[in-house]
Amino acid sequence: MSFFNSFSQVESTSYGIMLKALINKSIPIVAVADLDQEQIKATTFIDSREKDEFEVSQIKGAKWVGYDDFEMSRMDEISKNTSIIIYCSVGYRSEKIGEKLIKAGYTNVSNLYGGIFEWVNQGKPIVNQLGEPTSKIHGYSKAWGIWLSKGDKVY
């Protein structure tokens, strides 16, 4: 996995500026553009959005853990040495849950820079609850949904 120190790893300059102000880099960060198919297959994706967001769409194979009602027990089936990429809409909530995972002893946790919004913006596939491809993406709110340049926003 390739990690970076620059915040220019998203397609939109204004999105990058917003992310720079929002994300503290308290856990390692990985850019969507730096992930190849082999890395994606070898990684466990953890979704730290709320359940209604996850139910609209998610990265294929992702495990939902939530944010407001996060419980460490949702991670019980995942080894502490597993390669984990945690994501939310843009990367703030996932950073906070990632901090908790690292504190609990998970050793290979990184935050998806720009979150599922950047994943969709870069044309990566998402699936619905049945595992079928979808273009629907939860925009979190109309204010945050402006950062989605692709996909069909749902609120």
Side-chain angles (χ1 to χ4, degrees):
M1 223 171 285
S2 175
F3 298 99
F4 62 93
N5 293 319
S6 169
F7 284 99
S8 62
Q9 297 295 319
V10 293
E11 292 189 353
S12 164
T13 302
S14 57
Y15 190 40
I17 291 168
M18 184 278 298
L19 291 172
K20 184 175 182 178
L22 189 67
I23 297 172
N24 296 324
K25 295 193 309 182
S26 59
I27 67 171
I29 299 170
V30 64
V32 174
D34 289 344
L35 292 170
D36 64 31
Q37 285 299 80
E38 292 303 313
Q39 291 166 321
I40 291 169
K41 287 179 187 174
T43 299
T44 298
F45 284 89
I46 302 295
D47 192 313
S48 62
R49 298 175 300 156
E50 296 305 316
K51 191 72 167 179
D52 62 330
E53 295 169 83
F54 180 78
E55 288 173 347
V56 172
S57 60
Q58 67 264 177
I59 294 173
K60 187 175 183 176
K63 177 173 177 51
W64 176 79
V65 297
Y67 179 73
D68 284 336
D69 67 346
F70 172 76
E71 295 176 14
M72 193 60 71
S73 63
R74 293 185 183 136
M75 294 293 297
D76 285 351
E77 296 176 11
I78 299 172
S79 165
K80 292 196 174 182
N81 297 317
T82 299
S83 175
I84 294 170
I85 295 177
I86 190 164
Y87 70 91
C88 62
S89 296
V90 300
Y92 177 81
R93 294 177 286 176
S94 51
E95 182 175 63
K96 300 306 173 202
I97 299 299
E99 291 168 357
K100 291 180 182 185
L101 296 180
I102 290 169
K103 187 175 181 181
Y106 287 84
T107 60
N108 193 0
V109 178
S110 58
N111 189 13
L112 186 64
Y113 186 68
I116 197 169
F117 285 10
E118 187 63 17
W119 181 271
V120 170
N121 288 344
Q122 290 197 26
K124 299 285 189 191
I126 52 175
V127 297
N128 63 21
Q129 282 187 312
L130 301 175
E132 302 164 337
T134 186
S135 62
K136 292 182 180 176
I137 177 77
H138 198 291
Y140 186 71
S141 70
K142 298 225 184 231
W144 286 99
I146 64 168
W147 302 113
L148 274 164
S149 61
K150 294 184 180 172
D152 298 318
K153 298 173 201 171
V154 174
Y155 298 99

